[in-house]
Amino acid sequence: MNVLLTGCRSYTALDLARRFRDSGWNVFAADSVKFPVCRGSRAVKEFFHVPSPREGYREFIAALTAIIRSAGIDLLLPTSEEIFYIAHGREELSRYCRVFCDDFDVLNSLHNKWTFSGLTEGMSASTPETKLLTSAAQLKELGDPSAFAFKPVYSRFASEALLAPSRLPEGFAPSTDRPWIAQRYIRGLELCSYHLAVDGEIAAYGSYEPSYRLGQASGYYFKPVHREKIDRFAAELVRKLDFTGHVAFDYIEEKDGTLHVLECNPRATSGLHLAGTAGLMKPFGAGGERLPEVTGEKLSAGGRTPLENPAAIRIRSGTPETPETPGTPGTPGTPETPGNPAPAEAPSMIGYAMLANPFYHGFNPSGIGRWFNDFRHGRDVLFSRQDPWVPLLHAGSLAETVFDSLRRRIPFKDAATADIEWDGEALN
């Protein structure tokens, strides 16, 4: 069986490539950057450089179609924000292989921070009070800005976020063309979770605390946590949407244990590094076999056509997939669950980022000792004995991002995804 991973600049794509390879698949990779991290991996049989979907949507879909047909791809698995473009072109791509993502409109409702806040109403965890801002006049109605976090409706990596500002920047003016949200600012512990879902059932998951971060941006040390409320909320939402694909959430946990969900990322995120391989691979079957329970035209369970069921696959009935009550034998979140083990207990990390800042906790023996202990127990998501050249060759992808940052005159973290982001623009 052949799988094509897109967005293979990400560490999650690298992790998936290795797991697919170890499960007997032939792994192909595609990206619109020339030196993604997956390109140096032995897990990848062949890499394809494709046009930027943001700069040439039709050319991007055409390139993927050509790859799928020439390489005999059975499964197309997007991992990063190119997923929105693939979802929009899914009907065309589904003629040639199975495409593992949900409807474009569903992904948009999760990606859009305003519409997502409405989806959580009445659930076991909900977003803090959230207001849509489409004009500067609305800012006066909010009162003290330090009571809110301000974010563009479409954004990622805390890009442009203003967290409890004492006053708003001069010229700050939301508009109908570029709306923002004002979300009640709540102090507490930041937590994150990742889930792989098929037809409203969770197959794999990982929750963590981002213990080390680059300012307000992404974390690079992923300390596993276990929260029943996280598992329950995620199960509720994917069931409500009958969701298929990657989905991830950011949370704030107050001191009294109250959990608030802040936003959603309908793509692979770092919690995937903590997910069990059996759960991640279960929806796709063994590498040398057909995808489970798929007939020529309709699924044997549910009678849904490939276009109605984007993955065209269904987890076999009779297995306990849905995480309802962790701690109860036979449910995800406990070692007793057959074929879907609990997530990893050991932390994962981006090793070179950790090495770059041994003084994260202060320039003193206690702080350095804490850093060293964390580093010693973390599993590097880049280095593998079976993949020894990845960390070295990854220098090329970092250099490419630095070049793009300088060329576009944008911060490094923005340059890392600038060519695959989707911020609500019309796609033709």
Side-chain angles (χ1 to χ4, degrees), residues 10-31:
S10 70
Y11 306 131
T12 53
L14 175 66
D15 195 340
L16 280 170
R18 289 167 172 170
R19 299 204 209 197
F20 269 101
R21 185 269 315 273
D22 293 344
S23 298
W25 287 71
N26 296 315
V27 181
F28 297 82
D31 207 314

Side-chain angles (χ1 to χ4, degrees), residues 241-310:
L241 299 176
D242 197 25
F243 188 78
T244 290
H246 309 285
V247 66
F249 307 98
D250 295 336
Y251 310 86
I252 285 289
E253 183 182 59
E254 296 188 78
K255 288 184 178 181
D256 64 1
T258 302
L259 185 73
H260 305 271
V261 58
L262 302 181
E263 58 186 64
C264 176
N265 297 301
R267 53 180 169 79
T269 62
S270 299
L272 180 146
H273 301 308
L274 303 172
T277 297
L280 279 175
M281 293 294 103
K282 185 189 301 183
F284 308 114
E289 302 174 1
R290 296 181 65 193
L291 299 180
E293 302 198 21
V294 176
T295 61
E297 295 182 358
K298 292 188 176 183
L299 294 171
S300 57
R304 300 172 68 191
T305 66
L307 290 183
E308 292 170 331
N309 171 21

Side-chain angles (χ1 to χ4, degrees), residues 383-403:
F383 179 75
S384 166
R385 291 181 179 178
Q386 289 75 41
D387 234 356
W389 294 107
V390 167
L392 180 61
L393 296 175
H394 183 40
S397 61
L398 293 176
E400 184 174 15
T401 305
V402 169
F403 176 79

